[in-house]
Amino acid sequence: MQTKAELTKLHILETVAPIFNQNGYAATSMSDITNATGLTKGAIYGNFKNKEALAISSFKFTVKKLMTRISNHLELSDSPIQKLFLITDFYRNYYDYSKQLGGCPVLNIGVDANNQNTLLLKNVKIIIEKIQDQVASIIEQGIEVGEISAEINAMQYAKRLDTMIQGAVFMTYTMDDEFYLKDTMNQIDQMIHNELKA
Amino acid sequence: MQTKAELTKLHILETVAPIFNQNGYAATSMSDITNATGLTKGAIYGNFKNKEALAISSFKFTVKKLMTRISNHLELSDSPIQKLFLITDFYRNYYDYSKQLGGCPVLNIGVDANNQNTLLLKNVKIIIEKIQDQVASIIEQGIEVGEISAEINAMQYAKRLDTMIQGAVFMTYTMDDEFYLKDTMNQIDQMIHNELKA
DNA sequence: TATAAAATATACCAATTGGTATATTTAAAT
DNA sequence: ATTTAAATATACCAATTGGTATATTTTATA
């Protein structure tokens, strides 16, 4: 069973992570945090060294949730090329889902932390690399299995897909219009059909 | 000739715009502003109603500079399809150029203002629409002149290009790696050749 | 050059910032 | 049930926040 402190830590992260994600680091104050959690500074600073450490834990907490959800979704098929279609399938509904998280953590914290918080930015970079490695790995498996053309540079293609997805997420949020996500996913599906398929 | 006040206003915007762009609204304090400009609060508040008004003026100032530069670059050719290639040409060097502006204003302020500053966000939306209208207009002219296939939906395609560009800008900044911008521009050039050309 | 007006500087405000030392409460182990 | 340790609350800190009223300086006009 979890100790009381562990439950408190979880409660803090569950409450605070979306706030940091939505507002950004500087725009989130410690009183925002105590108000939202219903806890006092004693409880917060007892569980986290300082504001920055809490922000980093919050980012990791949100990303873990997100990555788990994607991973589960990708298990719906064993075929590499079908897994790629499952990725676009996932992001077609990403606007509604990520709103619960306070927005896309990679986009929000990536922009927010740039030239502001080195440690936080470092964590974003690591996550982006991890995501791209996973997509590249799927493509490589597709090549091995013969589903995907051997001409394809897996890592380059993974970066391309990631770039397009992040662009679509940014546009959908900024314009408050799901067209961008939907259309970009259609575009990627076409790319998979026309460029990737063996 | 410009009055002293107009010069001061210009000096404030020139100095402050990149700071707001780089740090974001909340992370930029009035003392950051007075320190950077060498002016006092009296001068700042005498020229701008409040912090928000200054942030909005700063955004507009940066965007105007950026848009003028793009427009000038596009005048290097009269051919619509060549103008599209000039757009990718421009963004190939966008990392170095936009750093002088404190980053990409559309990306930075778009993310920063989301769910934070309604007025600022509204201004970002207007600029994005303006950019897309201009690209769509170029494509339409290409169709009229017979350079671009009449099958193309100009507005949809303009949005696609914009989405890809913004994604590449985000990735290049977050990963501090120009590969994303360069590769995306190559990809767009290929699209122009393969999908757009009549 | 004197005067009016515009522009800028100074001094101040209450409220809030992130953080800490200590007091109190709560939970775990004997 | 008592003790001990862990967790949380309270009260406080100096520094900074955005903003304002007023004083001073600078500019333009006559």
Side-chain angles (χ1 to χ4, degrees), chain B residues 90-150:
Chain B
F90 179 84
Y91 278 102
R92 275 192 180 85
N93 305 304
Y94 186 64
Y95 194 34
D96 283 332
Y97 170 66
S98 62
K99 275 179 183 169
Q100 303 166 20
L101 309 174
C104 174
V106 172
L107 175 67
N108 291 354
I109 311 296
V111 172
D112 187 59
N114 208 288
N115 285 301
Q116 292 283 120
N117 190 314
T118 315
L119 231 75
L120 209 39
L121 181 62
K122 206 173 173 181
N123 277 279
V124 177
K125 283 189 185 182
I126 290 171
I127 294 304
I128 291 179
E129 278 167 2
K130 198 174 165 186
I131 293 171
Q132 293 178 352
D133 283 346
Q134 287 182 6
V135 175
S137 163
I138 293 174
I139 295 176
E140 277 163 9
Q141 284 167 32
I143 295 173
E144 281 175 31
V145 178
E147 286 182 4
I148 292 174
S149 159

Side-chain angles (χ1 to χ4, degrees), chain A residues 49-75:
Chain A
K49 190 192 164 199
N50 52 28
K51 192 188 171 186
E52 190 186 28
L54 179 52
I56 291 173
S57 291
S58 293
F59 173 71
K60 287 183 177 174
F61 178 83
T62 303
V63 164
K64 192 169 191 175
K65 240 170 108 172
L66 175 59
M67 298 280 273
T68 302
R69 194 171 171 109
I70 298 183
S71 292
N72 289 342
H73 194 68
L74 295 193
E75 282 177 14

